[in-house]
Amino acid sequence: MDKNKISEFFIEKGLFITAILSIIFIFLIISFILLEGLPAFEDYGFFNLLFGFEWAPTDGDFGVFPMIIGSIFVTLLSLLMAVPLSLLCAIFMAEVAPNKVRKVLKPVIETLSGIPSVVYGFFGLIVLVPIIRENFGGTGFSMFTASLILAVMILPTIITISQDSLRNVPHEYREASLGLGATQWQTIRRIIFPAALPGIITAIILGMGRAIGETLAVIMVAGNVVQIPNSIFDPVRTLTSNIAIEMGYATGLHYNALFATAIVLFLIIILLLLIANYIQHKYKVDIGGGSL
Amino acid sequence: MSIKLLSPKISQKIMNAVFILSGIITILILVLILGYILIKGLPAVNLEFIFGNPIDSGKSGGIFPMIISSIYVTIIAGIVATPLGVGAAVYMSEYSGENKITKLIRFGAETLASIPSIVFGLFGLSFFVIFLGFGWSILSGGLVLALMALPTIFQVAEVTISSIPSSYREGSYGLGATKWQTIYRVVLPAAIPGIVTGIILGMTRAISEAAAVMFAVGSSLSMPLSIFDPGRPLPLHLYVLATEGISLDNAYGTAAVLVIFVLAITIISNYIVDRYQDKIMGR
C-alpha cells in the first residue's frame, strides 16, 4: 500500500512537469527571440525600426514599416475574400445541408486544411501568377495573388470553428423562432447567427492569425519588393517573408534585425489575441455558446 | 423603416441557392488544387523518382533522401511531443482541477499554437542549432517540429480524456484500483481513438512544415544517416525547387508525393481509429 502511494506521488509530479513544459517552452522561445532581436532595437532605435521606410541591410537601414503594412494588407484582403464564403459554407453545413451532403463536405474541408502550405504556394506560383499577369498586368506576383492563396488556406479554419459554434446554439432558439412562423433564413439571420457570433469572431481571428503567420506560400507569390503598395496588384513583402528570405545569409546587426522583425510580428499577434479575448468576454455572458 | 424588396419566401429560396453554391465552390477549390497537382505531378512519379538520389541539385534524379528526411523529422517530432502532450493532458483532466496554474498552462498551449512557423524556425536556429550545439541536423529540425505538434496533441488529448464518463473511473475505484491504475488501465484505453487523432494531426502538421525547419535541418541533398546529419524534408525541397526554378517537373512530382503522403496518413489513421472505436464499443 505504501509503495503504491509513493509511486502515485511521483507519477503526479512527473505529469505536472509535462504540463508546465509548454509554459517553459513559450518562455524559452520568447527569451531567445528577444535576446537576439533587442540589440537591433537598441542600435537602430525602436521607432526608427518600427516606422522606418528604408530596409537596406547593406547600408545599415532596418525600417520594417513597409513590411508591417504588407502583412496587414495581405491579411485583411485575404479575410475579405475568405470570410463571406466560409461563413456561408459554415451555415450551410450546420443548418441547411442534409446529412448526406454534410458527410461529403466534412472530409473535403479536412483535406483542404491538411494540404501543406508549400503546396498551396506552389499552386499559386504555377497557376495563379500567370492568370493574374495576363488579366491584370504587372508580373502577377502581387498582394492580390498572395491574399487569394491565403484566403484558400484559411477557409478550413474559419469554416470548422464557426460551424462548431453555430451547432452549439441551443435547439430551443431555433424551434421558438420557427414556431413563430419565421422562415429558415430569417431564423438563421436574426437568431442563430447573432447567438453564434462570439465563436464566429474567434474563428475569424484564428484565420487571421494563420494568414499573418504564413511564410513560404506568401513568398512564392507576393513578389517580395520592400515597398508600400499603391494597388493590390503591386508586389509586397510581409514581415514573415522578410525573415525567411534573408535569414540564410544574414550576419551581425542584420541577423539581429531579422529577429527584431519577429518581435514586431509577435507584438501584432499578441494584439490580435487580446482583441479576440476581449470580444469573447464581451459576448460570452449571455450565450455561452461560443466555445474555444 | 426597412424597405421590403423580397418576400420572406423568395429570399429563403435565394439564400438556399447561395448556400448550396458556397458548398460547391469549396468542393471545387479542393478538386481544382488537388487535381492539378496530382495530374501534373503523378506522371513524374515512378520508382526511380521515389528511390533515386537527386542529381544536379534536384534538376533530375529522385527524392529518396528527402522522403527519408521527412519521415525522420516527423517521427522525432511524434516521439518527443506525444508523451509530453498526453502527460500534460492527463494531468490537466485527472489531477489538477481548475486553478490558476492550469489556466496558465492552457494559455501557454494556445500561445504555442498561435506562434507563426517562421518564429519557430528562428528559435530552432538560435536554440537547438547554435545554443545547444546540435548543428544543422535532423535532430534540430525534429525538435522544432515537436514544439509545433505539442499543442495540437495536448489540446485534442485533453478534450478526449475529459469526455470519458466518470462512471468508468468510479467503477475502477470501486474495484480497489489506485488513481494511476485507473488512468492507465481504464481512462487511457478508452481515450485512445481521440489521442491517436491528436497525434496524427500533430504529425501531419510536422510533415507539412517547411518554414520552421528551413534554418534547422540544413537543407542538405545527401541521405541523412543519423539524426545528427543534415537533411532536407519534402516541403523544403519543393520550396527550393520551385523558387529557385531548378526543375518544374521534379517540383510537380515532389508536390504530388507530399500530398499523397499527407492524404494517406489521414485516411489510414481515420480508418484505424474507426475500427478501434467499433471494437471498444463492442460493435
Side-chain angles (χ1 to χ4, degrees):
Chain A
M1 203 58 200
D2 260 345
K3 207 179 125 208
N4 264 343
K5 262 189 189 159
I6 292 169
S7 61
E8 289 282 320
F9 175 81
F10 280 110
I11 286 165
E12 180 173 350
K13 293 301 162 217
L15 291 172
F16 175 69
I17 290 169
T18 63
I20 55 167
L21 270 179
S22 55
I23 300 175
I24 294 174
F25 288 141
I26 292 282
F27 181 74
L28 269 178
I29 291 172
I30 291 175
S31 25
F32 267 80
I33 302 292
L34 286 180
L35 204 69
E36 303 277 18
L38 285 182
F41 281 111
E42 264 171 39
D43 244 58
Y44 195 67
F46 183 78
F47 287 102
N48 286 343
L49 196 142
L50 210 55
F51 297 113
F53 282 76
E54 278 305 309
W55 175 270
T58 41
D59 304 338
D61 277 325
F62 300 109
V64 299
F65 191 67
M67 275 91 90
I68 297 179
I69 296 296
S71 277
I72 292 177
F73 277 17
V74 166
T75 305
L76 288 182
L77 196 57
S78 71
L79 284 178
L80 216 59
M81 300 183 214
V83 168
L85 178 61
S86 37
L87 290 192
L88 283 172
C89 193
I91 295 174
F92 180 58
M93 285 177 73
E95 298 292 325
V96 183
N99 255 333
K100 266 188 194 162
V101 178
R102 199 172 291 148
K103 273 188 185 147
V104 177
L105 272 168
K106 198 171 164 262
V108 164
I109 285 153
E110 279 168 6
T111 316
L112 264 181
S113 76
I115 295 178
S117 58
V118 188
V119 173
Y120 280 114
F122 181 59
F123 180 82
L125 177 70
I126 298 299
V127 179
L128 293 181
V129 167
I131 292 177
I132 305 238
R133 180 164 50 222
E134 273 156 33
N135 291 302
F136 301 101
T139 57
F141 292 96
S142 67
M143 200 168 100
F144 181 74
T145 326
S147 311
L148 207 56
I149 281 296
L150 286 178
V152 175
M153 293 179 65
I154 61 178
L155 272 184
T157 311
I158 305 181
I159 294 178
T160 318
I161 299 166
S162 36
Q163 193 209 340
D164 282 345
S165 70
L166 286 165
R167 297 201 134 206
N168 281 339
V169 174
H171 257 291
E172 293 83 351
Y173 287 31
R174 217 161 280 140
E175 283 150 14
S177 168
L178 293 172
L180 287 170
T183 63
Q184 191 183 26
W185 168 236
Q186 285 169 331
T187 308
I188 292 169
R189 193 172 44 140
R190 298 275 169 83
I191 308 292
I192 297 174
F193 192 80
L197 199 58
I200 289 171
I201 289 168
T202 311
I204 294 171
I205 302 259
L206 285 175
M208 193 194 261
R210 192 170 173 201
I212 207 168
E214 181 50 48
T215 312
L216 299 185
V218 175
I219 293 182
M220 290 162 100
V221 297
N224 306 317
V225 181
V226 184
Q227 62 173 12
I228 292 178
N230 285 319
S231 97
I232 56 170
F233 298 109
D234 281 351
V236 285
R237 182 184 285 197
T238 62
L239 291 164
T240 51
S241 312
N242 192 42
I243 302 169
I245 291 170
E246 300 193 354
M247 199 64 217
Y249 56 85
T251 50
L253 197 60
H254 185 196
Y255 176 86
N256 298 124
L258 294 177
F259 277 84
T261 312
I263 297 177
V264 175
L265 182 65
F266 244 139
L267 292 178
I268 296 178
I269 290 171
I270 289 171
L271 203 67
L272 287 180
L273 283 180
L274 287 179
I275 296 172
N277 256 336
Y278 170 76
I279 293 175
Q280 269 192 326
H281 273 283
K282 202 176 156 195
Y283 288 95
K284 210 167 190 174
V285 197
D286 43 340
I287 298 135
S291 60
L292 247 172
Chain B
M1 278 270 287
S2 67
I3 304 159
K4 288 261 178 214
L5 285 173
L6 300 165
S7 78
K9 270 192 182 156
I10 292 175
S11 57
Q12 174 72 52
K13 275 187 182 153
I14 293 174
M15 283 321 290
N16 272 346
V18 171
F19 285 136
I20 292 170
L21 193 67
S22 73
I24 293 174
I25 291 175
T26 310
I27 295 175
L28 275 185
I29 290 173
L30 178 75
V31 171
L32 191 71
I33 295 177
L34 272 192
Y36 191 86
I37 297 288
L38 291 180
I39 288 170
K40 288 278 195 172
L42 283 180
V45 179
N46 50 37
L47 284 181
E48 215 177 310
F49 183 69
I50 291 176
F51 294 108
N53 279 313
I55 300 165
D56 209 1
S57 66
K59 260 201 188 75
S60 54
I63 53 167
F64 196 51
M66 289 81 205
I67 294 180
I68 298 298
S69 299
S70 267
I71 295 175
Y72 249 148
V73 290
T74 309
I75 289 179
I76 292 178
I79 289 177
V80 175
T82 300
L84 298 184
V86 176
V90 169
Y91 180 78
M92 298 283 279
S93 50
E94 300 293 314
Y95 286 92
S96 66
E98 281 298 314
N99 56 40
K100 270 190 185 155
I101 294 177
T102 56
K103 267 188 192 151
L104 194 62
I105 290 169
R106 214 164 274 132
F107 178 74
E110 275 166 26
T111 315
L112 206 55
S114 63
I115 291 179
S117 51
I118 190 71
V119 175
F120 278 105
L122 288 183
F123 175 71
L125 173 68
S126 59
F127 186 69
F128 294 121
V129 176
I130 297 173
F131 184 76
L132 293 182
F134 292 160
W136 284 296
S137 62
I138 296 286
L139 179 65
S140 301
L143 290 175
V144 175
L145 293 178
L147 290 185
M148 292 190 70
L150 178 60
T152 312
I153 297 176
F154 163 70
Q155 283 165 342
V156 179
E158 197 203 352
V159 170
T160 316
I161 294 173
S162 313
S163 69
I164 303 292
S166 55
S167 56
Y168 283 37
R169 297 179 186 94
E170 285 150 15
S172 171
Y173 290 141
L175 290 169
T178 64
K179 184 152 194 165
W180 176 244
Q181 284 166 340
T182 304
I183 292 167
Y184 188 70
R185 296 276 169 84
V186 178
V187 177
L188 282 181
I192 282 278
I195 293 175
V196 170
T197 310
I199 295 170
I200 298 293
L201 280 176
M203 285 174 76
T204 39
R205 196 176 172 199
I207 204 170
S208 322
E209 189 51 54
V213 293
M214 64 193 297
F215 311 124
V217 289
S219 198
S220 140
L221 282 160
S222 51
M223 175 71 78
L225 296 174
S226 83
I227 56 169
F228 299 105
D229 285 342
R232 185 195 278 187
L234 285 168
L236 191 54
H237 188 56
L238 171 59
Y239 173 71
V240 175
L241 287 183
T243 49
E244 294 180 6
I246 293 172
S247 158
L248 203 54
D249 278 341
N250 276 7
Y252 278 127
T254 311
V257 170
L258 183 57
V259 165
I260 292 171
F261 244 112
V262 173
L263 288 185
I265 295 176
T266 319
I267 292 169
I268 294 171
S269 59
N270 274 348
Y271 176 75
I272 294 173
V273 166
D274 280 350
R275 283 281 297 273
Y276 186 88
Q277 226 153 11
D278 286 350
K279 207 174 113 196
I280 57 168
M281 296 296 189
R283 267 177 272 167

